[in-house]
Amino acid sequence: MAFREVHVIEVKEVLRLWLSKRGIREIARVGPAERKTVRRYVCAASSLGLAPGQSPDVLTDEILGEILNAVRPRGPGVHGIAWRCCEVHREFLQSRVDEGLRLTKILKLLHRHTGADIPYRTLHRFASQELGFGGKRTTVLVADCAPGQELQVDFGRLGVVEWEGRRRVLQALIFTSVYSRHMYVWPTLHQTLEAVVEGFEAAWQYFGGVFPVVIPDNCAAMVAKADALNCRLTVDFLEYCQLRDFQADAARVRRPQDKPRVERTVPYVREDFFQGEDFLSLEHARREAERWCLVEAGMRTHGTTHKHPREVFEQEEKPLLKPMPAHR
């Protein structure tokens, strides 16, 4: 593989912009090097104790020499600074992998607790080769519906919390739009009809309208009789469907493929939102869940659509929803 030779003056300009608190994307846009190259030099500078906000005078010839020596191309089997940083924090990473956390969540926790900034691809290679992470799985792609048509709903167990001296199991009612993958998470301690209706009402406010078709799971508060061909809803939940003017078509019992979009988000919510966090109360968990849905889950690049779910929803789906209820 060929590498473009980067002049020392160009390296110094990249680091000068970084010290002036410019982001990596911005440096790549206005500077002399592409983003991956900029990140390599920034990581090398960070390992030497440099940090944004310092004077450019710290970029002496000796410091530049050490940085260039750290990022120069190496032969096969020789790893760079980011890999060595993973080695330093191996115990931390191994414990989080053993807990079953997603790598994106581990990256957040690592940066929060240690300040280390490791590229995702490096962490993925390190975790796969050194920590026993991952494995090949076979998946089948299911066709999506039209925009603004279907919302899949599922209860997911998040984990145990301790509030007011009591250990409680925190669950979540998870709503996922089939087309955009935009989601809403409503933490709750119960699966009663009151909790279900409260979650749905909060979801309509969050989405800004009502989806015409809802695919719920077989929660007893919504489904009176789970049947493969003739599923029967509870009278109370059916009345709520009529009140909000949407059709509920419950998934078959033990058939997760009937609602694959929301099924796939349940472990994502548990691992990226809940695990490793401390919530002070149910209200605090709900506020953080909505913020997480909007800022983190909603603005991530989805692995299948390669788009930001929140942007797709607001541009293509929200205008097609039924009007938002005037009263909760």
Side-chain angles (χ1 to χ4, degrees), residues 205-277:
Q205 295 290 327
Y206 173 84
F207 288 118
V210 178
F211 281 80
V213 178
V214 173
I215 311 296
D217 70 351
N218 285 276
C219 166
M222 294 183 281
V223 178
K225 179 185 178 183
D227 186 88
L229 299 177
N230 188 22
C231 180
R232 183 161 55 86
L233 303 177
T234 63
V235 173
D236 291 332
F237 185 68
L238 185 59
E239 183 180 5
Y240 177 71
C241 297
Q242 295 172 0
L243 177 66
R244 292 305 185 218
D245 191 25
F246 67 86
Q247 176 189 353
D249 185 9
R252 294 171 295 174
V253 63
R254 292 186 294 275
R255 291 294 187 273
Q257 63 269 25
D258 287 356
K259 45 183 175 59
R261 300 294 176 253
V262 72
E263 285 285 344
R264 188 63 190 91
T265 63
V266 172
Y268 172 56
V269 173
R270 181 187 304 115
E271 296 163 11
D272 198 86
F273 164 67
F274 178 78
Q275 292 183 351
E277 304 290 345

Side-chain angles (χ1 to χ4, degrees), residues 26-203:
E26 185 178 4
I27 295 174
R29 181 173 57 84
V30 304
E34 63 178 9
R35 190 169 63 187
K36 291 176 64 176
T37 303
V38 171
R39 186 182 297 277
R40 290 167 55 216
Y41 288 116
V42 166
C43 288
S46 298
S47 68
L48 296 176
L50 275 64
Q54 293 181 328
S55 169
D57 295 337
V58 301
L59 299 174
T60 62
D61 291 342
E62 292 77 10
I63 290 293
L64 289 173
E66 291 186 42
I67 293 173
L68 290 170
N69 183 62
V71 301
R72 67 177 54 177
R74 295 170 172 82
V78 181
H79 299 294
I81 293 176
W83 186 281
R84 294 201 296 272
C85 187
C86 291
E87 289 282 5
V88 170
H89 301 290
R90 173 185 286 269
E91 185 176 349
F92 179 92
L93 297 174
Q94 184 70 71
S95 64
R96 297 316 190 269
V97 168
D98 292 343
E99 290 176 17
L101 270 64
R102 301 172 65 90
L103 290 186
T104 51
K105 182 67 173 185
I106 295 174
L107 271 181
K108 294 178 187 177
L109 295 175
L110 180 66
H111 180 73
R112 184 186 306 171
H113 291 288
T114 68
D117 187 12
I118 299 174
Y120 175 83
R121 291 178 62 85
T122 301
L123 178 60
H124 187 276
R125 289 197 301 270
F126 182 84
S128 300
Q129 297 177 25
E130 303 291 331
L131 307 180
F133 173 82
K136 294 183 178 180
R137 295 178 296 176
T138 301
T139 58
V140 178
L141 184 63
V142 179
D144 294 332
C145 63
Q149 291 299 307
E150 185 177 309
L151 184 71
Q152 295 182 1
V153 184
D154 197 7
F155 264 108
R157 185 185 189 277
L158 299 183
V160 178
V161 294
E162 186 169 347
W163 291 331
E164 300 178 354
R166 296 181 58 191
R167 290 172 61 85
R168 311 288 296 274
V169 175
L170 185 64
Q171 305 173 71
L173 196 58
I174 303 172
F175 303 80
T176 302
S177 167
V178 171
Y179 180 80
S180 66
R181 310 306 204 272
H182 193 35
M183 71 171 69
Y184 178 64
V185 177
W186 178 255
T188 180
L189 298 173
H190 309 286
Q191 291 194 18
T192 62
L193 177 67
E194 290 76 8
V196 168
V197 171
E198 187 180 10
F200 268 87
E201 290 294 283

